[in-house]
Amino acid sequence: MNRYLINGFRPDLMEEQNLALTVTNYVKNNESNILRNAFHWWSGKMVYALYKFEIKQGADLKKLRKIIKGGRSVEHILPQEWMWEWINENDTKNISDEGKRTNEEVNGIINGIGNLLLITGSENSSKGNNHPKDKFYNSCSGGSYEAHNSSRDNWTDHKNWIATINNRGTMILSFIKEFI
C-alpha cells in the first residue's frame, strides 16, 4: 500500500515519482480543455471535481450524496440544444452578427466545467432543454444550486451567458488546483 502512496499507481508515468505533482501538472497543462470540454473529455474526474466543489461551496452533503448514489446526471445549465430565439428575440430568420459571435463563443464553452452541475437523472429529464432562467434546481440545496436559483435572472440576457459560465469554470478550476 505504501508503494502506491509514495510512487503512485503507475511509477513509470509519474514525474519525480510524485502522484500529486503529476496530477497538478496535468490540470495546469489542460486548463483550456477543462474549461471548454470537460463534459466529453474529462468525465469521470469532472464528476468527482464537481462533487468536491459543491461540498466546499456549502451544498447539502446528504442531498449531494443521494444524487451521487442514486444515478447522478450531469446537467448543462445552458443546454447543449439552446435556442436561437433566446438571442434574437423570436427572430430565427435574421440572425445578427452578434448572435453568430455568441453562438461560436457559447459552443466553445457549453461543455466546459463551468456549465455543468450534478443533479438526479429524473431532475435532468424534467429540465430538458429549457432556458436557464426557467430552471430551478431542487435535488440539492446550497452551493451552486442555491446560487443558480437565486440568480436565474442573470441568464435572461444572452450577453451574460459566457461570463457566467467562464466565471464559474474559473472558480471550479481554482478549487481543483487548491484541492490537489
Side-chain angles (χ1 to χ4, degrees):
M1 179 67 161
N2 195 32
R3 177 174 68 101
Y4 293 114
L5 295 174
I6 293 171
N7 297 328
F9 290 92
R10 295 280 313 269
D12 56 314
L13 300 177
M14 301 299 144
E15 294 179 24
E16 299 178 24
Q17 303 300 312
N18 185 322
L19 183 59
L21 179 62
T22 300
V23 174
T24 300
N25 287 338
Y26 179 83
V27 169
K28 186 184 340 177
N29 294 334
N30 292 285
E31 284 182 15
S32 178
N33 286 329
I34 295 167
L35 292 172
R36 300 177 61 77
N37 200 24
F39 182 72
H40 294 292
W41 177 77
W42 210 50
S43 63
K45 294 165 192 70
M46 174 263 314
V47 167
Y48 183 70
L50 288 171
Y51 171 74
K52 291 305 233 179
F53 174 76
E54 291 303 335
I55 292 170
K56 172 104 184 205
Q57 295 299 305
D60 183 312
L61 186 57
K62 187 175 180 179
K63 289 181 180 180
L64 194 56
R65 284 186 178 154
K66 189 174 180 178
I67 290 170
I68 295 295
K69 291 179 180 181
R72 55 107 178 118
S73 184
V74 179
E75 159 77 341
H76 284 78
I77 299 168
L78 177 64
Q80 292 174 306
E81 302 296 325
W82 59 275
M83 308 288 202
W84 276 105
E85 298 89 53
W86 299 350
I87 292 179
N88 288 307
E89 299 174 8
N90 300 320
D91 183 5
T92 57
K93 294 177 185 161
N94 299 313
I95 298 170
S96 67
D97 288 339
E98 178 186 352
K100 290 176 186 173
R101 266 192 322 278
T102 300
N103 179 48
E104 290 174 20
E105 291 175 5
V106 167
N107 286 339
I109 62 171
I110 201 154
N111 289 310
I113 202 157
N115 192 40
L116 305 176
L117 189 64
L118 299 176
I119 60 175
T120 64
S122 61
E123 185 173 23
N124 198 353
S125 294
S126 72
K127 300 298 176 219
N129 289 328
N130 293 328
H131 197 295
K133 69 179 175 60
D134 299 327
K135 292 180 179 180
F136 187 87
Y137 297 106
N138 56 13
S139 59
C140 194
S141 56
S144 296
Y145 307 93
E146 186 176 314
H148 176 80
N149 291 343
S150 65
S151 63
R152 289 182 298 155
D153 55 339
N154 286 346
W155 290 93
T156 302
D157 187 347
H158 71 278
K159 294 173 186 168
N160 297 331
W161 296 353
I162 294 158
T164 301
I165 293 169
N166 280 333
N167 290 341
R168 184 166 180 269
T170 301
M171 283 176 46
I172 296 170
L173 189 59
S174 294
F175 166 77
I176 291 170
K177 289 176 183 178
E178 176 186 316
F179 181 71
I180 294 171

